[in-house]
Structure formats: structure tokens, C-alpha cells
mmCIF file of all heavy atoms in Angstrom:
data_model
loop_
_atom_site.group_PDB
_atom_site.id
_atom_site.type_symbol
_atom_site.label_atom_id
_atom_site.label_comp_id
_atom_site.label_asym_id
_atom_site.label_seq_id
_atom_site.Cartn_x
_atom_site.Cartn_y
_atom_site.Cartn_z
ATOM 1 N N VAL A 1 32.380 -20.675 -14.477
ATOM 2 C CA VAL A 1 33.225 -20.148 -15.611
ATOM 3 C C VAL A 1 34.645 -20.594 -15.400
ATOM 4 O O VAL A 1 35.271 -20.706 -16.465
ATOM 5 C CB VAL A 1 33.021 -18.577 -15.514
ATOM 6 C CG1 VAL A 1 34.087 -17.867 -16.377
ATOM 7 C CG2 VAL A 1 31.634 -18.148 -15.878
ATOM 8 N N TRP A 2 35.082 -20.900 -14.208
ATOM 9 C CA TRP A 2 36.446 -21.317 -14.046
ATOM 10 C C TRP A 2 36.712 -22.555 -14.949
ATOM 11 O O TRP A 2 37.895 -22.851 -15.358
ATOM 12 C CB TRP A 2 36.836 -21.605 -12.615
ATOM 13 C CG TRP A 2 36.106 -22.552 -11.812
ATOM 14 C CD1 TRP A 2 35.045 -22.325 -10.998
ATOM 15 C CD2 TRP A 2 36.109 -24.008 -11.875
ATOM 16 N NE1 TRP A 2 34.475 -23.405 -10.371
ATOM 17 C CE2 TRP A 2 35.210 -24.529 -11.009
ATOM 18 C CE3 TRP A 2 36.983 -24.868 -12.530
ATOM 19 C CZ2 TRP A 2 35.024 -25.837 -10.714
ATOM 20 C CZ3 TRP A 2 36.880 -26.329 -12.326
ATOM 21 C CH2 TRP A 2 35.774 -26.720 -11.455
ATOM 22 N N LEU A 3 35.737 -23.337 -15.223
ATOM 23 C CA LEU A 3 35.841 -24.565 -15.891
ATOM 24 C C LEU A 3 36.459 -24.298 -17.343
ATOM 25 O O LEU A 3 37.221 -25.174 -17.945
ATOM 26 C CB LEU A 3 34.510 -25.373 -15.951
ATOM 27 C CG LEU A 3 34.579 -26.826 -16.566
ATOM 28 C CD1 LEU A 3 35.237 -27.631 -15.629
ATOM 29 C CD2 LEU A 3 33.010 -27.236 -16.803
ATOM 30 N N LYS A 4 36.090 -23.213 -17.868
ATOM 31 C CA LYS A 4 36.463 -22.809 -19.275
ATOM 32 C C LYS A 4 38.023 -22.693 -19.242
ATOM 33 O O LYS A 4 38.599 -22.951 -20.313
ATOM 34 C CB LYS A 4 35.805 -21.477 -19.590
ATOM 35 C CG LYS A 4 36.360 -20.803 -20.871
ATOM 36 C CD LYS A 4 35.693 -19.565 -21.194
ATOM 37 C CE LYS A 4 36.290 -18.689 -22.294
ATOM 38 N NZ LYS A 4 36.121 -19.167 -23.616
ATOM 39 N N TYR A 5 38.643 -22.424 -18.089
ATOM 40 C CA TYR A 5 40.131 -22.108 -18.136
ATOM 41 C C TYR A 5 40.969 -23.288 -17.618
ATOM 42 O O TYR A 5 42.086 -23.185 -17.386
ATOM 43 C CB TYR A 5 40.271 -20.866 -17.373
ATOM 44 C CG TYR A 5 39.550 -19.684 -17.952
ATOM 45 C CD1 TYR A 5 38.331 -19.246 -17.560
ATOM 46 C CD2 TYR A 5 40.131 -19.085 -19.106
ATOM 47 C CE1 TYR A 5 37.659 -18.255 -18.149
ATOM 48 C CE2 TYR A 5 39.362 -18.043 -19.767
ATOM 49 C CZ TYR A 5 38.136 -17.614 -19.330
ATOM 50 O OH TYR A 5 37.533 -16.693 -19.844
ATOM 51 N N VAL A 6 40.358 -24.451 -17.452
ATOM 52 C CA VAL A 6 41.107 -25.656 -17.150
ATOM 53 C C VAL A 6 42.008 -25.947 -18.408
ATOM 54 O O VAL A 6 41.390 -26.059 -19.524
ATOM 55 C CB VAL A 6 40.156 -26.804 -16.824
ATOM 56 C CG1 VAL A 6 41.004 -28.100 -16.697
ATOM 57 C CG2 VAL A 6 39.445 -26.542 -15.590
ATOM 58 N N PRO A 7 43.137 -26.112 -18.245
ATOM 59 C CA PRO A 7 44.100 -26.446 -19.501
ATOM 60 C C PRO A 7 43.642 -27.578 -20.297
ATOM 61 O O PRO A 7 43.282 -28.760 -19.768
ATOM 62 C CB PRO A 7 45.416 -26.658 -18.975
ATOM 63 C CG PRO A 7 45.418 -25.929 -17.531
ATOM 64 C CD PRO A 7 44.085 -26.036 -17.008
ATOM 65 N N GLY A 8 43.499 -27.341 -21.665
ATOM 66 C CA GLY A 8 43.183 -28.419 -22.624
ATOM 67 C C GLY A 8 41.689 -28.801 -22.665
ATOM 68 O O GLY A 8 41.390 -29.817 -23.233
ATOM 69 N N ILE A 9 40.784 -27.986 -21.897
ATOM 70 C CA ILE A 9 39.379 -28.527 -21.911
ATOM 71 C C ILE A 9 38.649 -28.106 -23.072
ATOM 72 O O ILE A 9 38.825 -27.090 -23.740
ATOM 73 C CB ILE A 9 38.737 -27.857 -20.573
ATOM 74 C CG1 ILE A 9 37.596 -28.750 -20.072
ATOM 75 C CG2 ILE A 9 38.281 -26.424 -20.814
ATOM 76 C CD1 ILE A 9 37.190 -28.457 -18.655
ATOM 77 N N SER A 10 37.675 -29.027 -23.367
ATOM 78 C CA SER A 10 36.705 -28.818 -24.293
ATOM 79 C C SER A 10 35.299 -29.343 -23.742
ATOM 80 O O SER A 10 35.367 -30.583 -23.343
ATOM 81 C CB SER A 10 37.005 -29.515 -25.629
ATOM 82 O OG SER A 10 35.998 -29.143 -26.651
ATOM 83 N N PHE A 11 34.325 -28.596 -23.682
ATOM 84 C CA PHE A 11 33.053 -28.945 -23.038
ATOM 85 C C PHE A 11 32.322 -30.118 -23.657
ATOM 86 O O PHE A 11 32.209 -30.098 -24.976
ATOM 87 C CB PHE A 11 32.048 -27.788 -22.705
ATOM 88 C CG PHE A 11 32.526 -26.799 -21.754
ATOM 89 C CD1 PHE A 11 33.817 -26.887 -21.092
ATOM 90 C CD2 PHE A 11 31.679 -25.614 -21.429
ATOM 91 C CE1 PHE A 11 34.161 -25.934 -20.273
ATOM 92 C CE2 PHE A 11 32.168 -24.744 -20.570
ATOM 93 C CZ PHE A 11 33.378 -24.821 -19.900
ATOM 94 N N ARG A 12 31.670 -30.935 -22.950
ATOM 95 C CA ARG A 12 30.720 -31.938 -23.456
ATOM 96 C C ARG A 12 31.140 -32.790 -24.683
ATOM 97 O O ARG A 12 30.415 -33.017 -25.613
ATOM 98 C CB ARG A 12 29.343 -31.217 -23.763
ATOM 99 C CG ARG A 12 28.867 -30.340 -22.643
ATOM 100 C CD ARG A 12 27.615 -29.686 -23.054
ATOM 101 N NE ARG A 12 26.406 -30.585 -22.934
ATOM 102 C CZ ARG A 12 25.284 -30.441 -23.561
ATOM 103 N NH1 ARG A 12 25.177 -29.326 -24.249
ATOM 104 N NH2 ARG A 12 24.396 -31.257 -23.586
ATOM 105 N N THR A 13 32.323 -33.214 -24.653
ATOM 106 C CA THR A 13 32.863 -34.024 -25.747
ATOM 107 C C THR A 13 33.839 -35.118 -24.974
ATOM 108 O O THR A 13 34.159 -34.918 -23.807
ATOM 109 C CB THR A 13 33.371 -33.435 -26.786
ATOM 110 O OG1 THR A 13 33.728 -34.252 -27.909
ATOM 111 C CG2 THR A 13 34.689 -32.541 -26.422
ATOM 112 N N ASP A 14 34.480 -35.954 -25.761
ATOM 113 C CA ASP A 14 35.439 -36.922 -25.345
ATOM 114 C C ASP A 14 36.664 -36.315 -25.039
ATOM 115 O O ASP A 14 37.804 -36.398 -25.683
ATOM 116 C CB ASP A 14 35.530 -38.112 -26.342
ATOM 117 C CG ASP A 14 36.266 -39.237 -25.716
ATOM 118 O OD1 ASP A 14 36.408 -39.363 -24.498
ATOM 119 O OD2 ASP A 14 36.606 -40.185 -26.535
ATOM 120 N N ASN A 15 36.771 -35.504 -23.944
ATOM 121 C CA ASN A 15 37.819 -34.699 -23.601
ATOM 122 C C ASN A 15 38.261 -34.996 -22.008
ATOM 123 O O ASN A 15 37.317 -34.866 -21.192
ATOM 124 C CB ASN A 15 37.489 -33.237 -23.706
ATOM 125 C CG ASN A 15 38.528 -32.266 -23.190
ATOM 126 O OD1 ASN A 15 38.395 -31.874 -22.055
ATOM 127 N ND2 ASN A 15 39.499 -31.930 -23.985
ATOM 128 N N GLU A 16 39.387 -35.452 -21.856
ATOM 129 C CA GLU A 16 39.783 -35.974 -20.514
ATOM 130 C C GLU A 16 39.644 -34.835 -19.387
ATOM 131 O O GLU A 16 39.081 -35.104 -18.360
ATOM 132 C CB GLU A 16 41.163 -36.604 -20.571
ATOM 133 C CG GLU A 16 41.259 -37.821 -21.269
ATOM 134 C CD GLU A 16 40.274 -38.795 -20.725
ATOM 135 O OE1 GLU A 16 40.167 -39.022 -19.483
ATOM 136 O OE2 GLU A 16 39.659 -39.547 -21.534
ATOM 137 N N PRO A 17 40.170 -33.717 -19.650
ATOM 138 C CA PRO A 17 39.941 -32.710 -18.493
ATOM 139 C C PRO A 17 38.514 -32.336 -18.231
ATOM 140 O O PRO A 17 38.204 -32.278 -17.084
ATOM 141 C CB PRO A 17 40.738 -31.480 -19.215
ATOM 142 C CG PRO A 17 41.662 -31.882 -20.063
ATOM 143 C CD PRO A 17 41.000 -33.032 -20.714
ATOM 144 N N PHE A 18 37.652 -32.369 -19.266
ATOM 145 C CA PHE A 18 36.206 -32.126 -18.928
ATOM 146 C C PHE A 18 35.558 -33.327 -18.213
ATOM 147 O O PHE A 18 34.947 -33.217 -17.188
ATOM 148 C CB PHE A 18 35.464 -31.858 -20.297
ATOM 149 C CG PHE A 18 33.964 -31.706 -19.999
ATOM 150 C CD1 PHE A 18 33.491 -30.514 -19.490
ATOM 151 C CD2 PHE A 18 33.114 -32.727 -20.278
ATOM 152 C CE1 PHE A 18 32.148 -30.369 -19.155
ATOM 153 C CE2 PHE A 18 31.719 -32.462 -20.060
ATOM 154 C CZ PHE A 18 31.267 -31.274 -19.486
ATOM 155 N N LYS A 19 35.878 -34.435 -18.715
ATOM 156 C CA LYS A 19 35.315 -35.710 -18.046
ATOM 157 C C LYS A 19 35.821 -35.833 -16.659
ATOM 158 O O LYS A 19 34.950 -36.238 -15.767
ATOM 159 C CB LYS A 19 35.687 -36.894 -18.887
ATOM 160 C CG LYS A 19 34.989 -37.013 -20.267
ATOM 161 C CD LYS A 19 35.097 -38.420 -20.904
ATOM 162 C CE LYS A 19 36.580 -38.771 -21.304
ATOM 163 N NZ LYS A 19 36.623 -39.969 -22.001
ATOM 164 N N MET A 20 37.055 -35.476 -16.301
ATOM 165 C CA MET A 20 37.487 -35.589 -15.020
ATOM 166 C C MET A 20 36.798 -34.645 -14.046
ATOM 167 O O MET A 20 36.334 -34.934 -12.934
ATOM 168 C CB MET A 20 39.019 -35.186 -14.929
ATOM 169 C CG MET A 20 39.852 -36.390 -15.512
ATOM 170 S SD MET A 20 41.702 -35.888 -15.482
ATOM 171 C CE MET A 20 41.908 -35.623 -13.730
ATOM 172 N N ALA A 21 36.596 -33.415 -14.533
ATOM 173 C CA ALA A 21 35.781 -32.382 -13.759
ATOM 174 C C ALA A 21 34.385 -32.847 -13.557
ATOM 175 O O ALA A 21 33.843 -32.630 -12.448
ATOM 176 C CB ALA A 21 36.021 -30.952 -14.365
ATOM 177 N N MET A 22 33.784 -33.236 -14.608
ATOM 178 C CA MET A 22 32.283 -33.660 -14.595
ATOM 179 C C MET A 22 32.222 -34.808 -13.687
ATOM 180 O O MET A 22 31.160 -34.767 -12.819
ATOM 181 C CB MET A 22 31.858 -33.991 -16.021
ATOM 182 C CG MET A 22 30.464 -34.608 -16.015
ATOM 183 S SD MET A 22 29.956 -34.982 -17.730
ATOM 184 C CE MET A 22 28.557 -35.916 -17.460
ATOM 185 N N GLN A 23 33.111 -35.844 -13.748
ATOM 186 C CA GLN A 23 32.895 -37.009 -12.927
ATOM 187 C C GLN A 23 33.102 -36.600 -11.335
ATOM 188 O O GLN A 23 32.358 -37.056 -10.574
ATOM 189 C CB GLN A 23 33.885 -38.108 -13.280
ATOM 190 C CG GLN A 23 33.794 -39.421 -12.466
ATOM 191 C CD GLN A 23 34.526 -40.503 -13.046
ATOM 192 O OE1 GLN A 23 35.165 -40.450 -14.016
ATOM 193 N NE2 GLN A 23 34.641 -41.607 -12.279
ATOM 194 N N ARG A 24 34.026 -35.734 -11.144
ATOM 195 C CA ARG A 24 34.330 -35.352 -9.735
ATOM 196 C C ARG A 24 33.148 -34.699 -9.202
ATOM 197 O O ARG A 24 32.715 -35.016 -8.060
ATOM 198 C CB ARG A 24 35.553 -34.418 -9.703
ATOM 199 C CG ARG A 24 36.002 -33.991 -8.374
ATOM 200 C CD ARG A 24 37.211 -33.264 -8.367
ATOM 201 N NE ARG A 24 37.324 -32.264 -9.452
ATOM 202 C CZ ARG A 24 36.808 -30.998 -9.288
ATOM 203 N NH1 ARG A 24 36.091 -30.670 -8.188
ATOM 204 N NH2 ARG A 24 36.919 -30.176 -10.291
ATOM 205 N N PHE A 25 32.419 -33.792 -9.888
ATOM 206 C CA PHE A 25 31.265 -33.123 -9.365
ATOM 207 C C PHE A 25 30.122 -34.046 -9.189
ATOM 208 O O PHE A 25 29.369 -34.051 -8.251
ATOM 209 C CB PHE A 25 30.828 -31.949 -10.260
ATOM 210 C CG PHE A 25 29.740 -31.127 -9.664
ATOM 211 C CD1 PHE A 25 29.853 -30.350 -8.679
ATOM 212 C CD2 PHE A 25 28.467 -31.290 -10.291
ATOM 213 C CE1 PHE A 25 28.625 -29.681 -8.058
ATOM 214 C CE2 PHE A 25 27.359 -30.626 -9.740
ATOM 215 C CZ PHE A 25 27.543 -29.732 -8.727
ATOM 216 N N THR A 26 29.818 -34.859 -10.262
ATOM 217 C CA THR A 26 28.782 -35.886 -10.137
ATOM 218 C C THR A 26 28.873 -36.758 -8.888
ATOM 219 O O THR A 26 28.014 -37.078 -8.253
ATOM 220 C CB THR A 26 28.714 -36.701 -11.444
ATOM 221 O OG1 THR A 26 28.459 -35.801 -12.631
ATOM 222 C CG2 THR A 26 27.457 -37.714 -11.376
ATOM 223 N N GLU A 27 30.203 -37.260 -8.712
ATOM 224 C CA GLU A 27 30.460 -38.193 -7.657
ATOM 225 C C GLU A 27 30.245 -37.379 -6.295
ATOM 226 O O GLU A 27 29.916 -37.917 -5.260
ATOM 227 C CB GLU A 27 31.909 -38.586 -7.619
ATOM 228 C CG GLU A 27 32.104 -39.655 -8.758
ATOM 229 C CD GLU A 27 33.552 -40.173 -8.891
ATOM 230 O OE1 GLU A 27 34.387 -39.368 -8.375
ATOM 231 O OE2 GLU A 27 33.792 -41.155 -9.528
ATOM 232 N N LYS A 28 30.530 -36.092 -6.271
ATOM 233 C CA LYS A 28 30.305 -35.223 -5.093
ATOM 234 C C LYS A 28 28.930 -35.198 -4.754
ATOM 235 O O LYS A 28 28.463 -35.469 -3.564
ATOM 236 C CB LYS A 28 30.868 -33.831 -5.310
ATOM 237 C CG LYS A 28 30.550 -32.840 -4.329
ATOM 238 C CD LYS A 28 31.325 -33.023 -3.009
ATOM 239 C CE LYS A 28 30.951 -31.759 -2.126
ATOM 240 N NZ LYS A 28 31.794 -32.008 -0.765
ATOM 241 N N ILE A 29 28.043 -34.974 -5.731
ATOM 242 C CA ILE A 29 26.582 -34.920 -5.532
ATOM 243 C C ILE A 29 26.041 -36.248 -5.089
ATOM 244 O O ILE A 29 25.255 -36.395 -4.120
ATOM 245 C CB ILE A 29 25.791 -34.268 -6.652
ATOM 246 C CG1 ILE A 29 26.304 -32.877 -7.013
ATOM 247 C CG2 ILE A 29 24.319 -34.410 -6.529
ATOM 248 C CD1 ILE A 29 26.094 -31.887 -5.887
ATOM 249 N N VAL A 30 26.364 -37.312 -5.803
ATOM 250 C CA VAL A 30 25.824 -38.564 -5.494
ATOM 251 C C VAL A 30 26.245 -39.028 -4.155
ATOM 252 O O VAL A 30 25.552 -39.565 -3.319
ATOM 253 C CB VAL A 30 26.318 -39.655 -6.634
ATOM 254 C CG1 VAL A 30 26.002 -41.073 -6.120
ATOM 255 C CG2 VAL A 30 25.544 -39.367 -7.882
ATOM 256 N N GLY A 31 27.581 -38.669 -3.712
ATOM 257 C CA GLY A 31 28.032 -39.067 -2.481
ATOM 258 C C GLY A 31 27.309 -38.312 -1.352
ATOM 259 O O GLY A 31 26.986 -38.900 -0.236
ATOM 260 N N MET A 32 26.799 -37.064 -1.632
ATOM 261 C CA MET A 32 26.114 -36.365 -0.572
ATOM 262 C C MET A 32 24.742 -37.042 -0.400
ATOM 263 O O MET A 32 24.197 -37.184 0.653
ATOM 264 C CB MET A 32 26.033 -34.943 -0.945
ATOM 265 C CG MET A 32 27.244 -34.027 -0.947
ATOM 266 S SD MET A 32 27.088 -32.392 -1.478
ATOM 267 C CE MET A 32 25.871 -31.780 -0.310
ATOM 268 N N MET A 33 24.180 -37.363 -1.561
ATOM 269 C CA MET A 33 22.810 -38.003 -1.429
ATOM 270 C C MET A 33 22.850 -39.333 -0.737
ATOM 271 O O MET A 33 22.035 -39.611 0.190
ATOM 272 C CB MET A 33 22.206 -38.257 -2.838
ATOM 273 C CG MET A 33 22.081 -37.064 -3.764
ATOM 274 S SD MET A 33 21.061 -35.726 -3.037
ATOM 275 C CE MET A 33 22.258 -34.459 -2.666
#
């Protein structure tokens, strides 16, 4: 839910704050694997 309150965010579209957060988590999981 904290993701909703990242300034300027809009989910699942060409939105830089969302893409940054999504990429960071995806890289976290892939890195662990």
C-alpha cells in the first residue's frame, strides 16, 4: 500500500516512479534467485 503514496506515481503505465519501484523489486528477486 505504501506504493500508492510514492509522489507522482500511477500504477502499471509509462510512469517513472512506478517503473523505478517495479524494477527495483524485480531486480531484488532475480538477484536473490
Side-chain angles (χ1 to χ4, degrees):
V1 171
W2 59 258
L3 191 67
K4 172 181 168 72
Y5 299 99
V6 172
I9 203 163
S10 183
F11 289 3
R12 305 182 74 199
T13 187
D14 193 10
N15 171 269
E16 288 304 318
F18 178 75
K19 291 193 296 184
M20 287 177 61
M22 172 180 168
Q23 181 169 354
R24 180 171 49 81
F25 181 73
T26 303
E27 288 175 345
K28 169 76 174 179
I29 297 301
V30 169
M32 290 178 64
M33 300 303 109

